[in-house]
Amino acid sequence: MCRWLAYSGSPVLIEELLYRPEHSLIDQSLHARLGAETTNGDGFGLGWYAPDSQTPAVFHSIEPAWNDRNLHEVASHVQSPLFLAHIRASTGTAVQQTNCHPFRYGRWLWVHNGLVRDFHRIKRDLALAVDDSLYASIEGSTDSEMMFYLALTFGLEDDPPRAVERMVGHVEEVGRRHGIEHPIQMTIGTTDGNSVWGFRYSSEGKSRTLYYSTDMRTVRELYPDRPRLQDLSDETRIVVSEPLVDLPGAWNEVPESSYGVVHDGEDELHPFTPVNTGNGG
Amino acid sequence: MCRWLAYSGSPVLIEELLYRPEHSLIDQSLHARLGAETTNGDGFGLGWYAPDSQTPAVFHSIEPAWNDRNLHEVASHVQSPLFLAHIRASTGTAVQQTNCHPFRYGRWLWVHNGLVRDFHRIKRDLALAVDDSLYASIEGSTDSEMMFYLALTFGLEDDPPRAVERMVGHVEEVGRRHGIEHPIQMTIGTTDGNSVWGFRYSSEGKSRTLYYSTDMRTVRELYPDRPRLQDLSDETRIVVSEPLVDLPGAWNEVPESSYGVVHDGEDELHPFTPVNTGNGG
Amino acid sequence: MCRWLAYSGSPVLIEELLYRPEHSLIDQSLHARLGAETTNGDGFGLGWYAPDSQTPAVFHSIEPAWNDRNLHEVASHVQSPLFLAHIRASTGTAVQQTNCHPFRYGRWLWVHNGLVRDFHRIKRDLALAVDDSLYASIEGSTDSEMMFYLALTFGLEDDPPRAVERMVGHVEEVGRRHGIEHPIQMTIGTTDGNSVWGFRYSSEGKSRTLYYSTDMRTVRELYPDRPRLQDLSDETRIVVSEPLVDLPGAWNEVPESSYGVVHDGEDELHPFTPVNTGNGG
Amino acid sequence: MCRWLAYSGSPVLIEELLYRPEHSLIDQSLHARLGAETTNGDGFGLGWYAPDSQTPAVFHSIEPAWNDRNLHEVASHVQSPLFLAHIRASTGTAVQQTNCHPFRYGRWLWVHNGLVRDFHRIKRDLALAVDDSLYASIEGSTDSEMMFYLALTFGLEDDPPRAVERMVGHVEEVGRRHGIEHPIQMTIGTTDGNSVWGFRYSSEGKSRTLYYSTDMRTVRELYPDRPRLQDLSDETRIVVSEPLVDLPGAWNEVPESSYGVVHDGEDELHPFTPVNTGNGG
């Protein structure tokens, strides 16, 4: 079980989100509340978009986030309008930088909480479906990265929701063909640097938690005495595995089998339905 | 808060103690039960004595013990009649190999659970008391290593209990001179490769837990159906921060302000009384 | 370019081979003489066989070997009759433990110096030839590990020379189909804990260097005043990328396109000829 | 032997200096030309000043700079008007983040190339001279950090050249009292975020190399066809252990026993003379 966070909005010091809230992501690395495991100490990752840069930066570490000095240095000296952070609890694969989220391809970042069940048994079949031109770019050994490359194969760069629905459909087909009852469990965050998509789904219909922040106007009206909130633009939005602060009215659960889009204009929330790719057999 | 273990007896695969018990030290690195903190993920260390070697080997890692593959490889391929292992939860100092226990000097190893309170304020005064010939061998920045070098200064190699009593007396004198109410909190394990000494003490009289195993004859009679216990010699003894298995009658608490000695012949248990060194002022 | 060493013979402290010779493997990590690159600082690995253990131990580190304290501790406290060591200079893939040699499968170890040219382009095609039951055990991203899993697929455990010949034949077929002129460059060391096989081959016929030690009787007669040599059994043999000491008469070059076997009884040297697997097309 | 670089001037992507020049600092980590050792693989550090931040950021790594992905990510996504970078070749002390340069205290950064001779013997005497309020902030075990804390003790924040002269005078006094002929060898770079001071000195009068870039107007006139140079302000200056590119007229050697100041207005170059502190005896 992992934890992740996506921020989109007014440029802020990354530290503001990762370290300062009462129940920040860094605090969750030692004391997660809503997951099966309380410790997420098997590495960490941060991806952020910088002005004038074609691709996002990624910082990966195999040390626990709570004591990684370099992470704190970067987070307290870099401002960004859009970033993803992830703390990892390995479900068996090696603790190494290439297994740390967010994964990056071109302008895209990808984080995942959950697992492909019995991944070891179906890994080869899943790998065969990855596009030939993408296969050699897979650097690590996780189910999460494999899901990313499958989504890229199925058109992530053109139609993210559809590509993720096809990826999930494919994993379920292959899994069930191998007799796996509930092949996939996930929340996913992905972004191209402009929009952020957040997905919540599991084959068994009991998915890991995912929350998004209420729109900032509402939050500001509810809490006029919180000065830090007054500076954030109306468009600012946070998507996160578990709430960062106990602020009633500030967090909404992403419903089961749904996905949301954070972008310019009104944000969206839609049902999520895996799509059969016909390649599973 | 840290956890540690000392083993002395029939040569065993180190893995038998570190990994296989139900509540092994590696399990305690993620799920300690008796301490203030449940996670001990800020590095690890193992020191063992090998036949034909003048000094013990030490293996230090800054990664959490629960996922360190090299530790598991070494532990599952090296047998030893005497070893110390330690999992660390930093109380503020850097996570680096030179801050990992056990510390080594010549044939001696040293592990510590606890802290010197307000160490930052009295560090220099403590360092001044370290013998000139030893000072430059201090490699890390922890209170634990400083305590080791003070004990060496006060004669650890000649009379370990007396040297530790003088070390503690000195830390308390220096601490109280700086207005620190309860300067020291500790359990300590130290060995020269022949005997093992285990200490339990704190200025406030509420010390961290420490247990030692009942003698093996008793354990074998109580549990005739545990085959692994039948092979261990009568002299085999384990000292540990918290019990490794729920085996009624197998573990005894080291009393407050006491120390024990594990060696050839009957083991001993004595009261521990800090000794004023007259150097604190 | 990497460097490796295999030792088989009288049990010795691993340190004797890794650290003590004038031009030891550790010295070669900073100052290799015979390779294109003088620095091999991208990680390290050691695999050794211990008595009473079914599988060899492996110790992998991403730090340069010359300053890795844990490696020195293990090497100076562990004796073994058979071990492989490897220092890495990455040709582009990530510096991570799962990319460090020796690779292990069951009782087998594998080290490689060289490369599969344009590996990125043919990686997927090579992966498809790996046996379904083995595929998910590939943990890293190197050409060297892929070669190992191909050799396992082609029968390494039953007939090592033939399996390596088929592996090389397959890589050459796939490579040439993609227009790669000289697909493979290699020296390889592999062992099951009883015998050691050393291979030297490259598609262009200009292979990386490989040496084996002259039989110990000869060496002892040549150098009666070297006490350390007097203790080693007649069967002791070292295979290495470049000589460890300047000792005339002690080292023999493995000829181009050849392989040798070190085992009980007379050692062997044979020509090496890639075998067409008919799977390249 | 180490290598370092200081940049002050128009804000640039750090990568421009660390990676892109023909003989960049990262290239020097594998292939230094002017030093006794060609490899500087024992860790790395980068310190940079960011807008709106009270203290500079520091990024320390114990991995060789040439393959550190996080360093490359940060350097290629962060712009700064003033930064120091350092690649380390350990002269014996542990490879750990707290031994990586630049060292930081408040707004100050400090890098060093060289050594205090027989540091082990005089470490305690040097430590005793460090101000009581600073002592506990020493985190590592290097001579370089000790020199920094001595300079802070002697007034670095008020009068940097005088403080460094007193620090060097003190080290020489203490060293000579212990019978060390040439106690110190150094180039030093230090900055408060506004000015940069570069020192070159050694007790034996044969100091490690140090260069500074010719003023940018001159360089631009000499090389009108180098577009990257046209964007840099007149004030831009680089100080470095060895030249980054072969550009005749672009680099000047800092003379023996001298120091330079890079700041607003005309830069300065002065003789450097150690000052006796009278504390050596």
Side-chain angles (χ1 to χ4, degrees):
Chain A
M1 195 208 67
C2 310
R3 305 274 91 179
W4 60 266
L5 171 155
Y7 176 89
S8 170
S10 308
V12 291
L13 215 48
I14 292 168
E15 182 188 37
E16 292 281 354
L17 274 289
L18 290 200
Y19 288 85
R20 298 209 186 154
E22 176 198 340
H23 188 50
S24 71
L25 198 71
I26 302 304
D27 180 62
Q28 293 176 31
S29 69
L30 261 177
H31 306 294
R33 296 171 184 170
L34 301 181
E37 291 285 345
T38 58
T39 307
N40 295 280
D42 301 327
F44 182 90
L46 170 66
W48 76 88
Y49 292 82
D52 313 322
S53 179
Q54 289 301 315
T55 54
V58 289
F59 178 93
H60 289 157
S61 169
I62 59 169
E63 290 169 38
W66 63 79
N67 262 330
D68 193 303
R69 293 186 176 195
N70 288 326
L71 172 66
H72 204 156
E73 290 291 321
V74 167
S76 59
H77 290 86
V78 170
Q79 299 204 9
S80 174
L82 202 168
F83 54 91
L84 260 67
H86 184 276
I87 50 177
R88 185 168 180 240
S90 168
T91 52
T93 46
V95 178
Q96 56 191 23
Q97 288 187 9
T98 56
N99 284 350
C100 291
H101 312 218
F103 301 100
R104 176 179 60 192
Y105 185 82
R107 282 192 62 75
W108 288 78
L109 293 178
W110 176 275
V111 290
H112 168 230
N113 172 24
L115 76 163
V116 172
R117 289 206 175 76
D118 289 322
F119 179 55
H120 199 264
R121 284 169 55 203
I122 64 172
K123 185 176 181 181
R124 185 171 183 271
D125 280 7
L126 295 179
L128 294 190
V130 172
D131 192 83
D132 197 358
S133 67
L134 294 169
Y135 181 86
S137 297
I138 298 176
E139 283 205 304
S141 54
T142 61
D143 48 0
S144 306
E145 188 188 22
M146 184 70 80
M147 288 161 69
F148 181 33
Y149 277 88
L150 286 170
L152 285 164
T153 298
F154 292 135
L156 183 70
E157 293 163 294
D158 297 322
D159 184 347
R162 185 74 178 172
V164 175
E165 288 178 331
R166 292 179 71 198
M167 177 274 285
V168 170
H170 185 69
V171 172
E172 291 191 325
E173 286 163 42
V174 172
R176 285 177 183 142
R177 185 157 48 84
H178 282 79
I180 300 163
E181 189 181 2
H182 298 306
I184 201 164
Q185 165 66 261
M186 73 181 208
T187 67
I188 281 172
T190 189
T191 175
D192 61 355
N194 294 311
S195 305
V196 176
W197 291 263
F199 299 85
R200 185 178 182 215
Y201 177 80
S202 60
S203 305
E204 63 267 44
K206 292 183 178 178
S207 303
R208 301 286 161 85
T209 56
L210 190 63
Y211 294 84
Y212 61 99
S213 58
T214 297
D215 78 272
M216 281 297 141
R217 277 160 299 186
T218 315
V219 175
R220 279 197 300 267
E221 283 162 27
L222 283 169
Y223 301 93
D225 54 342
R226 296 251 177 158
R228 199 167 294 157
L229 299 177
Q230 307 310 314
D231 297 337
L232 298 177
S233 74
D234 292 354
E235 299 279 353
T236 296
R237 187 82 82 178
I238 303 165
V239 185
V240 68
S241 299
E242 51 185 90
L244 302 176
V245 286
D246 292 332
L247 204 57
W251 301 101
N252 310 280
E253 200 174 22
V254 175
E256 265 292 339
S257 304
S258 303
Y259 72 92
V261 195
V262 177
H263 53 181
D264 281 350
E266 203 66 31
D267 293 346
E268 303 166 28
L269 197 59
H270 299 283
F272 178 88
T273 312
V275 172
N276 197 306
T277 62
N279 296 324
Chain B
M1 195 208 67
C2 311
R3 306 275 91 178
W4 59 267
L5 172 154
Y7 175 90
S8 170
S10 308
V12 291
L13 214 49
I14 292 168
E15 182 188 39
E16 293 281 354
L17 274 288
L18 289 200
Y19 288 85
R20 298 212 184 152
E22 175 198 341
H23 189 49
S24 71
L25 198 72
I26 301 306
D27 180 61
Q28 293 175 32
S29 69
L30 260 177
H31 307 293
R33 296 172 183 169
L34 301 181
E37 290 286 345
T38 57
T39 306
N40 296 279
D42 300 328
F44 182 91
L46 170 67
W48 76 90
Y49 293 83
D52 313 322
S53 180
Q54 289 303 313
T55 54
V58 290
F59 179 93
H60 288 158
S61 168
I62 59 170
E63 290 169 39
W66 63 78
N67 263 331
D68 192 303
R69 293 186 177 193
N70 287 326
L71 172 66
H72 205 155
E73 290 291 320
V74 168
S76 59
H77 289 86
V78 170
Q79 299 203 8
S80 174
L82 202 169
F83 55 91
L84 261 66
H86 185 277
I87 49 178
R88 187 168 179 241
S90 169
T91 53
T93 45
V95 177
Q96 56 190 23
Q97 288 187 9
T98 57
N99 283 351
C100 291
H101 311 219
F103 301 100
R104 176 179 62 191
Y105 184 82
R107 281 192 62 76
W108 288 77
L109 293 177
W110 176 275
V111 290
H112 168 229
N113 173 24
L115 75 164
V116 173
R117 289 207 175 75
D118 288 323
F119 179 56
H120 199 263
R121 285 168 57 201
I122 64 172
K123 184 176 181 181
R124 185 171 182 271
D125 279 6
L126 296 179
L128 293 190
V130 172
D131 192 82
D132 197 358
S133 67
L134 295 169
Y135 181 86
S137 297
I138 298 176
E139 283 204 304
S141 54
T142 62
D143 48 0
S144 306
E145 188 188 21
M146 185 70 81
M147 289 162 68
F148 181 34
Y149 276 89
L150 286 169
L152 285 163
T153 297
F154 293 134
L156 182 70
E157 293 163 295
D158 297 321
D159 185 347
R162 186 73 177 174
V164 175
E165 288 178 331
R166 294 179 70 199
M167 177 274 285
V168 170
H170 185 69
V171 172
E172 290 191 327
E173 286 162 45
V174 172
R176 286 178 181 142
R177 185 158 48 82
H178 282 79
I180 300 164
E181 190 180 2
H182 298 307
I184 201 165
Q185 166 66 260
M186 71 180 211
T187 66
I188 282 173
T190 188
T191 176
D192 61 356
N194 295 310
S195 305
V196 176
W197 291 263
F199 299 84
R200 184 179 183 216
Y201 177 79
S202 60
S203 306
E204 62 268 44
K206 292 184 178 179
S207 304
R208 302 286 160 85
T209 57
L210 190 64
Y211 295 84
Y212 61 98
S213 58
T214 297
D215 77 90
M216 280 297 142
R217 278 159 299 186
T218 315
V219 175
R220 279 197 299 267
E221 281 161 29
L222 283 169
Y223 301 93
D225 54 342
R226 295 253 178 155
R228 200 167 293 160
L229 300 175
Q230 307 310 314
D231 297 336
L232 298 177
S233 75
D234 291 355
E235 299 279 352
T236 296
R237 188 81 82 179
I238 303 164
V239 185
V240 68
S241 298
E242 52 185 88
L244 303 176
V245 286
D246 292 331
L247 204 58
W251 301 100
N252 310 279
E253 201 173 23
V254 175
E256 266 290 340
S257 304
S258 303
Y259 73 91
V261 195
V262 177
H263 52 182
D264 281 351
E266 202 67 29
D267 293 346
E268 302 165 28
L269 197 58
H270 299 283
F272 178 87
T273 313
V275 172
N276 197 304
T277 61
N279 295 325
Chain C
M1 192 208 69
C2 311
R3 306 275 91 177
W4 59 266
L5 171 155
Y7 175 89
S8 170
S10 309
V12 289
L13 214 49
I14 292 169
E15 182 187 37
E16 293 281 353
L17 274 288
L18 290 200
Y19 287 85
R20 298 210 184 153
E22 174 198 342
H23 189 49
S24 72
L25 198 71
I26 301 304
D27 180 63
Q28 293 176 31
S29 69
L30 262 176
H31 307 292
R33 296 172 181 169
L34 301 181
E37 290 286 344
T38 58
T39 306
N40 296 279
D42 300 328
F44 181 89
L46 170 67
W48 76 90
Y49 292 83
D52 313 322
S53 180
Q54 289 302 314
T55 53
V58 291
F59 178 93
H60 288 156
S61 169
I62 60 171
E63 290 170 38
W66 63 80
N67 262 330
D68 192 303
R69 292 186 177 193
N70 287 327
L71 172 66
H72 204 156
E73 290 291 321
V74 168
S76 60
H77 289 85
V78 171
Q79 299 203 10
S80 174
L82 202 168
F83 55 91
L84 260 67
H86 184 275
I87 50 177
R88 186 168 179 239
S90 168
T91 53
T93 45
V95 178
Q96 58 191 23
Q97 288 187 11
T98 55
N99 284 351
C100 291
H101 312 218
F103 301 100
R104 176 179 60 191
Y105 185 84
R107 282 193 62 76
W108 289 78
L109 292 177
W110 176 276
V111 290
H112 168 230
N113 172 24
L115 76 164
V116 172
R117 289 204 176 76
D118 289 322
F119 179 54
H120 199 265
R121 285 169 55 202
I122 63 172
K123 185 176 180 181
R124 185 170 182 271
D125 280 6
L126 295 179
L128 294 190
V130 172
D131 191 82
D132 197 358
S133 67
L134 295 168
Y135 181 86
S137 297
I138 298 176
E139 284 206 302
S141 55
T142 62
D143 48 0
S144 306
E145 189 188 21
M146 185 71 80
M147 289 161 68
F148 181 34
Y149 277 88
L150 286 170
L152 285 164
T153 298
F154 293 136
L156 182 71
E157 292 163 295
D158 297 321
D159 184 346
R162 185 72 177 173
V164 176
E165 288 178 332
R166 292 179 70 198
M167 177 274 286
V168 170
H170 185 69
V171 172
E172 290 192 325
E173 287 162 43
V174 172
R176 285 177 182 142
R177 184 157 50 82
H178 283 78
I180 300 163
E181 190 180 2
H182 299 307
I184 201 165
Q185 166 67 261
M186 72 182 209
T187 67
I188 281 172
T190 189
T191 174
D192 60 357
N194 295 310
S195 305
V196 176
W197 291 263
F199 298 84
R200 185 180 183 214
Y201 178 79
S202 60
S203 306
E204 63 267 44
K206 291 183 178 179
S207 303
R208 301 286 161 85
T209 56
L210 190 64
Y211 294 84
Y212 60 99
S213 58
T214 297
D215 78 272
M216 281 297 141
R217 277 160 299 186
T218 315
V219 175
R220 279 197 299 267
E221 281 162 29
L222 282 168
Y223 301 93
D225 54 342
R226 296 253 177 158
R228 198 165 295 157
L229 299 176
Q230 307 309 314
D231 298 337
L232 298 177
S233 75
D234 291 355
E235 298 279 351
T236 296
R237 188 81 82 177
I238 303 164
V239 185
V240 67
S241 299
E242 52 186 87
L244 303 176
V245 286
D246 291 330
L247 203 58
W251 301 100
N252 311 280
E253 201 174 23
V254 175
E256 266 291 340
S257 304
S258 303
Y259 73 92
V261 195
V262 177
H263 52 182
D264 281 350
E266 202 65 32
D267 293 345
E268 302 167 28
L269 199 57
H270 301 282
F272 178 88
T273 313
V275 171
N276 198 304
T277 60
N279 296 324
Chain D
M1 194 209 67
C2 310
R3 307 274 92 180
W4 59 268
L5 171 154
Y7 176 89
S8 170
S10 309
V12 290
L13 213 50
I14 293 169
E15 181 187 40
E16 293 281 353
L17 274 288
L18 289 200
Y19 287 87
R20 299 214 184 149
E22 175 197 341
H23 189 49
S24 72
L25 198 71
I26 301 305
D27 180 62
Q28 293 176 33
S29 69
L30 261 177
H31 307 292
R33 295 171 183 171
L34 300 181
E37 291 286 345
T38 57
T39 306
N40 296 279
D42 300 328
F44 182 90
L46 170 67
W48 76 91
Y49 294 83
D52 313 320
S53 179
Q54 289 302 315
T55 55
V58 290
F59 178 94
H60 288 157
S61 168
I62 60 170
E63 289 169 39
W66 63 80
N67 262 330
D68 192 303
R69 293 185 177 193
N70 287 327
L71 172 66
H72 204 155
E73 290 292 320
V74 168
S76 59
H77 289 86
V78 171
Q79 299 203 9
S80 174
L82 202 169
F83 55 90
L84 260 66
H86 184 277
I87 50 177
R88 186 168 180 239
S90 168
T91 54
T93 45
V95 177
Q96 57 191 22
Q97 289 187 9
T98 56
N99 284 350
C100 290
H101 312 219
F103 301 100
R104 176 179 61 191
Y105 185 82
R107 281 193 62 76
W108 289 77
L109 293 177
W110 176 275
V111 290
H112 168 231
N113 172 24
L115 76 164
V116 172
R117 288 207 176 75
D118 289 322
F119 179 55
H120 198 264
R121 285 169 54 202
I122 64 171
K123 184 177 181 182
R124 185 171 182 271
D125 280 6
L126 295 179
L128 294 190
V130 172
D131 192 83
D132 197 357
S133 67
L134 294 169
Y135 181 86
S137 298
I138 298 177
E139 284 205 304
S141 54
T142 61
D143 49 359
S144 306
E145 188 188 21
M146 185 70 80
M147 290 161 68
F148 181 35
Y149 277 88
L150 286 169
L152 285 163
T153 297
F154 292 135
L156 182 71
E157 293 163 295
D158 296 321
D159 184 346
R162 186 71 177 176
V164 175
E165 287 178 331
R166 292 180 70 199
M167 177 274 285
V168 170
H170 185 69
V171 172
E172 290 191 326
E173 286 162 44
V174 171
R176 285 177 182 142
R177 185 158 48 84
H178 282 79
I180 301 164
E181 191 179 2
H182 299 306
I184 201 165
Q185 165 67 259
M186 70 180 212
T187 67
I188 282 173
T190 189
T191 175
D192 61 356
N194 294 310
S195 304
V196 176
W197 291 264
F199 298 85
R200 185 180 182 213
Y201 177 79
S202 59
S203 305
E204 64 266 44
K206 291 184 179 176
S207 304
R208 302 286 159 84
T209 56
L210 190 64
Y211 295 83
Y212 61 99
S213 58
T214 297
D215 78 90
M216 281 298 142
R217 278 159 299 188
T218 315
V219 175
R220 280 199 298 268
E221 282 162 28
L222 282 169
Y223 301 93
D225 54 341
R226 296 253 178 156
R228 200 167 294 160
L229 300 176
Q230 307 310 312
D231 297 336
L232 298 176
S233 75
D234 291 355
E235 299 279 352
T236 296
R237 188 82 82 178
I238 303 165
V239 185
V240 69
S241 299
E242 52 186 87
L244 303 176
V245 287
D246 291 331
L247 204 58
W251 300 101
N252 310 279
E253 201 173 23
V254 175
E256 265 292 338
S257 303
S258 303
Y259 72 93
V261 195
V262 176
H263 52 182
D264 280 351
E266 201 67 31
D267 293 345
E268 303 167 27
L269 198 58
H270 299 283
F272 178 89
T273 312
V275 171
N276 198 304
T277 61
N279 296 324

